[in-house]
Amino acid sequence: MKKWIESLLPWSKKYNPTHKKESKRQTNNGKGKKKNTDIGWVTPSSIETTLPPTPQFNKDMLPEPLSEYVFHNAAQLDNAAPEFAAVAVVVCAAALIGGSAQICPKDENKGWKVKPILWGMIIANPSMMKTPSARVGLGPFERSKHDVIDKLNNQRQAEYNNEANFVEAKVARLNEKAKKLLASGSEEAAKELFNEANELALAPPALRNPLINDCTVEALVMRLESNPYGVLMFRDELYGWLSQLEKKERAHERALYLEAYNGNGSYTQERVSRDNVVLKNPTVSVLGNIQPSMLNSFLLERSSGSSNDGLFERFQLAVYSDSHNSRYTDIPDNEVNDNRVIELFSCLSMMGENEETVTLNFDADAQGLWTEWASEHKKRELKASADDQAVLGKYAALVAKLSLVFHLVEEAAICDDFESFHPELVVQKQSLGLAIRWSNFLYLHSVRIRAIGQNSQGSETAKLILERFGQLKSPFALRDVQRKGWKGLKTIDDCNAAITVLTNKGYIAPLNVEGKNGRVTNRYEIHPDYVG
């Protein structure tokens, strides 16, 4: 496994974090506490978290013209990391397709079908252009919604209004005749006319609106009712949404999102005053941003919780770049390419007009590559750690999804008129090759993201205590920290990990203090520069 990971990083140095050795602080084994001047304080060293590196995102990892579009816009955004915009564009494209298409990756077993439902997460510090990068994908998504979906909605509404006027007049005549029959004593004949009038009632048209932001679960269910092929939920700040779904009282909402990620089940919303709502194949794509510190706080809270249903792991298109070459830029727009991408997204918007979900397969060459890759990937998965298996186990479906999206993007790119978009239903080797490259790229980002919680648990909780030294009386006991109930410091293990880091870095020094009863207890003296 280690050799395989290193093979994915030919352009980067092997990840080999170093750990600084810290000299042990003096402790007081006698009675009473030791004074600050007796400890021999030195300047504390910084608390840093070393994370694995990530690979470079290259232009040949996207179909044309998406590649030119993504890199041009990233450069305009003061040279933002192009993978941020790439994730946004791919998730938004996949969301327009939603449940309108699916792929059978295997050659013989056609029972396994995968829909292109993707969840994307852009992880970066403030001022790293997270939101503008997300707009690179949301821009053409919203434009195609305006140009295609809203136009079709208006047509459907106009047709419904015309038909409704006709039906209303006809129902009025039938009801009038029925009343006359009833008045004359012909009850059976009147019943027939009343029934005929009721059967003429028209259901309002389902108006598509595939973009949703902050919403209640009830509002989401209503939106999914009129968008059977799915919606895209964009959250500029994912932390609040993720944290809310960790609460026990939000279990029903969490269940809906888990079901909507698969896109092949059902969800029932029970109502007291109205009829229950049953959603068939609910589909929700997700795109959002989060800061590393907020993600770390979420991971720390999650580590002490009980949820382990894989909701967070569904963010497979999650990127946390190793380095940024941000700098001021002043680059003109590329309207020609922008319009090409809008036209491309308009083609994908038409997929939502399919009466049935279309099914795609690999051609012979792509099928051979799939079988070879999937076989080797399964071997890697079986040899991996339990933590890695939780990630790699979902990568076969991820590669199939990305293959489908890239193929439909390629087909849309050569379509002259979005209204006549009818893509070939055979996915070629080129699209599968791109998807495999993405899986390698995303895996290394996954390693880095998971390291936030794994490698930094002690470091990040140590920072939490460091920021709150003013709320502790020096010397303090371990239980004094635990009783505060600070985020990420609610268990004895969390507190011990943080105290170890603070001691090794020189912010505190351990003391053995003898109390009035003669019992020796452990205390920690705070560095004099950080007291008060």
Side-chain angles (χ1 to χ4, degrees):
M1 177 59 67
K2 182 179 179 182
K3 291 183 178 179
W4 174 63
I5 294 176
E6 292 173 353
S7 71
L8 302 181
L9 278 166
W11 48 82
S12 177
K13 295 180 180 179
K14 295 178 181 178
Y15 173 53
N16 184 25
T18 58
H19 301 279
K20 296 180 180 179
K21 294 183 179 180
E22 299 290 337
S23 60
K24 294 182 179 179
R25 302 296 171 206
Q26 298 178 15
T27 59
N28 179 19
N29 296 321
K31 294 182 179 181
K33 77 171 186 178
K34 203 170 187 84
K35 295 181 179 179
N36 289 338
T37 56
D38 297 331
I39 292 177
W41 295 102
V42 296
T43 302
S45 54
S46 62
I47 301 174
E48 297 179 352
T49 302
T50 304
L51 299 175
T54 54
Q56 181 179 345
F57 189 83
N58 299 316
K59 286 188 175 182
D60 58 0
M61 291 181 65
L62 285 170
E64 239 290 327
L66 289 188
S67 178
E68 180 62 29
Y69 175 74
V70 162
F71 276 82
H72 180 83
N73 277 274
Q76 280 190 312
L77 297 174
D78 289 345
N79 211 44
E83 51 265 41
F84 293 168
V87 164
V89 167
V90 171
V91 170
C92 288
L96 282 176
I97 301 166
S100 68
Q102 60 189 359
I103 185 171
C104 293
K106 294 187 176 181
D107 192 18
E108 299 293 338
N109 179 9
K110 296 303 180 184
W112 182 40
K113 299 180 178 69
V114 180
K115 295 177 181 177
I117 305 169
L118 298 172
W119 289 11
M121 177 187 293
I122 300 172
I123 306 166
N125 289 313
S127 76
M128 298 312 297
M129 297 294 182
K130 296 189 299 295
T131 300
S133 294
R135 295 295 314 170
V136 176
L138 290 169
F141 185 99
E142 292 174 340
R143 179 65 181 273
S144 65
K145 173 185 174 299
H146 177 271
D147 293 350
V148 179
I149 297 175
D150 290 350
K151 179 181 177 182
L152 293 172
N153 283 341
N154 291 336
Q155 292 177 359
R156 278 188 281 266
Q157 187 65 52
E159 291 170 0
Y160 168 78
N161 291 340
N162 291 336
E163 185 68 15
N165 290 334
F166 172 77
V167 169
E168 184 179 355
K170 189 171 182 180
V171 167
R173 288 197 300 270
L174 289 172
N175 286 333
E176 188 64 30
K177 289 181 181 179
K179 290 176 182 178
K180 291 180 180 179
L181 288 172
L182 188 62
S184 65
S186 302
E187 292 186 2
E188 290 301 319
K191 270 185 186 179
E192 290 182 6
L193 289 181
F194 279 130
N195 288 335
E196 183 180 349
N198 289 334
E199 290 174 357
L200 290 175
L202 291 176
L207 303 180
R208 293 170 61 196
N209 185 359
L211 181 61
I212 195 166
N213 299 114
D214 190 11
C215 66
T216 63
V217 65
E218 292 77 16
L220 178 60
V221 168
M222 292 177 61
R223 182 66 64 86
L224 289 173
E225 279 190 286
S226 58
N227 291 269
Y229 288 147
V231 299
L232 169 66
M233 186 185 75
F234 172 67
R235 296 294 295 261
D236 193 34
E237 291 293 341
L238 277 171
Y239 174 76
W241 179 71
L242 289 170
S243 297
Q244 288 296 312
L245 291 184
E246 290 292 312
K247 297 180 179 179
K248 291 182 180 179
E249 61 267 25
R250 306 291 284 270
H252 64 294
E253 186 174 349
R254 188 183 184 94
L256 172 56
Y257 283 107
L258 289 169
E259 195 65 57
Y261 177 82
N262 298 319
N264 55 12
S266 63
Y267 178 84
T268 301
Q269 184 183 78
E270 297 184 359
R271 294 173 171 175
V272 176
S273 58
R274 289 179 288 173
D275 293 338
N276 293 342
V277 178
V278 179
L279 297 176
K280 183 180 180 182
N281 303 326
T283 301
V284 178
S285 302
V286 180
L287 175 65
N289 307 317
I290 194 168
Q291 295 180 27
S293 60
M294 301 303 291
L295 177 58
N296 181 72
S297 296
F298 168 77
L299 293 175
L300 288 174
E301 291 176 342
R302 183 171 173 267
S303 65
S304 59
S306 59
S307 59
N308 191 26
D309 51 16
L311 184 138
F312 180 76
E313 285 72 21
R314 281 163 169 75
F315 282 95
Q316 292 180 301
L317 268 68
V319 288
Y320 180 21
S321 297
D322 183 29
S323 62
H324 302 282
N325 297 317
S326 179
R327 63 177 184 273
Y328 174 77
T329 62
D330 187 4
I331 301 172
D333 293 337
N334 186 339
E335 294 186 5
V336 173
N337 200 54
D338 289 351
N339 290 332
R340 287 178 66 197
V341 173
I342 291 171
E343 186 75 13
L344 185 157
F345 270 61
S346 296
C347 289
L348 300 181
S349 297
M350 292 300 296
M351 298 288 292
E353 298 300 308
N354 292 341
E355 294 183 2
E356 296 182 355
T357 299
V358 296
T359 302
L360 289 81
N361 296 275
F362 289 124
D363 68 8
D365 290 340
Q367 193 67 63
L369 176 59
W370 167 267
T371 301
E372 178 184 354
W373 174 83
S375 300
E376 290 301 315
H377 178 76
K378 192 64 178 181
K379 293 177 183 177
R380 290 194 295 269
E381 178 189 340
L382 294 175
K383 293 178 182 178
S385 65
D387 187 47
D388 255 358
Q389 284 182 353
V391 174
L392 294 174
K394 297 179 175 65
Y395 268 39
L398 172 64
V399 168
K401 292 177 182 182
L402 289 172
S403 300
L404 173 57
V405 173
F406 292 148
H407 169 74
L408 292 176
V409 165
E410 294 276 14
E411 290 290 293
I414 60 175
C415 179
D416 294 330
D417 180 14
F418 68 83
E419 293 183 349
S420 61
F421 180 55
H422 297 290
E424 292 290 335
L425 302 183
V426 179
V427 179
Q428 298 180 350
K429 186 176 180 179
Q430 177 183 352
S431 296
L432 175 56
L434 281 178
I436 292 173
R437 290 193 64 189
W438 267 73
S439 72
N440 294 335
F441 176 83
L442 292 170
Y443 172 77
L444 292 173
H445 277 269
S446 171
V447 171
R448 180 178 175 84
I449 292 165
R450 283 178 283 153
I452 296 175
Q454 295 166 352
N455 298 350
S456 69
Q457 186 165 2
S459 299
E460 294 302 320
T461 50
K463 293 176 184 178
L464 294 177
I465 298 177
L466 182 60
E467 293 169 357
R468 296 166 174 81
F469 267 167
Q471 301 178 40
L472 293 171
K473 185 178 179 181
S474 184
F476 64 88
L478 188 64
R479 65 177 179 272
D480 295 332
V481 176
Q482 189 178 0
R483 286 172 179 171
K484 293 290 185 182
W486 291 328
K487 180 166 41 179
L489 290 162
K490 296 179 181 179
T491 70
I492 194 68
D493 290 338
D494 293 334
C495 294
N496 270 321
I499 291 297
T500 299
V501 172
L502 289 171
T503 303
N504 290 338
K505 297 295 184 180
Y507 291 93
I508 60 177
L511 299 172
N512 291 328
V513 177
E514 184 177 317
K516 293 181 181 180
N517 59 1
R519 180 181 296 177
V520 176
T521 58
N522 294 325
R523 294 287 190 274
Y524 297 93
E525 186 81 12
I526 299 175
H527 191 290
D529 291 347
Y530 293 86
V531 174

